[in-house]
Amino acid sequence: MAACADGELELNAEENCHGRSTDKPRKHDSGAADLEKVTDYAEEKEISASNLESAMSVIGDKRTLEQSAKQEREKELAKVTIKKEDVELIMTEMEISRSTAERSLREHLGNVVEALVSLTE
């Protein structure tokens, strides 16, 4: 038993000098309740063959569109004329491969300054 600041003896070990409970928070008690909350919202759905086929076709269509857009972009970039000296300059200054230097120049329509700035960012 311990003495309180006002001289009274503390009779109950769970109460402090001001009559408040000193229960420590229990760290692991809330875990089970939280887990139940999570599992209450999870619903298992059965995937049917038709749903799977439609999902796969949507994914396939999206990939096809992305690939065609990428091919179009590559065709547009191939049309841009670049100077060999500019490619060499970027390769030596940035210490990058020829293909990366050419790509950067083509993306910036042959502008060396813009290509260099984009490579440093």
Side-chain angles (χ1 to χ4, degrees):
M1 290 189 199
C4 290
D6 59 356
E8 296 178 9
L9 289 177
E10 188 174 338
L11 300 176
N12 190 350
E14 294 181 4
E15 292 183 0
N16 61 13
C17 295
H18 303 290
R20 291 187 213 130
S21 177
T22 58
D23 287 339
K24 293 183 179 179
R26 296 183 182 141
K27 294 180 182 178
H28 303 291
D29 288 348
S30 65
D34 291 341
L35 185 59
E36 282 187 32
K37 289 178 186 176
V38 170
T39 56
D40 287 345
Y41 294 112
E43 295 179 17
E44 293 183 20
K45 294 183 180 179
E46 196 170 309
I47 299 174
S48 67
S50 63
N51 289 342
L52 184 60
E53 289 173 8
S54 65
M56 292 297 288
S57 68
V58 168
I59 292 170
D61 293 344
K62 186 175 180 181
R63 281 188 183 161
T64 304
L65 287 173
E66 288 174 354
Q67 287 176 348
S68 64
K70 187 176 179 179
Q71 288 174 350
E72 280 296 316
R73 176 75 175 147
E74 291 298 322
K75 286 180 185 177
E76 289 175 15
L77 289 177
K79 293 177 185 177
V80 175
T81 56
I82 55 174
K83 296 177 184 175
K84 185 176 180 179
E85 306 87 46
D86 294 343
V87 174
E88 295 293 328
L89 173 71
I90 291 176
M91 285 175 54
T92 56
E93 292 299 319
M94 300 302 293
E95 298 178 357
I96 57 174
S97 67
R98 177 175 297 280
S99 62
T100 306
E102 288 178 358
R103 173 98 180 162
S104 179
L105 270 171
R106 290 185 193 282
E107 287 176 347
H108 295 92
L109 306 174
N111 188 330
V112 179
V113 176
E114 287 180 12
L116 285 169
V117 168
S118 72
L119 289 168
T120 58
E121 293 178 341

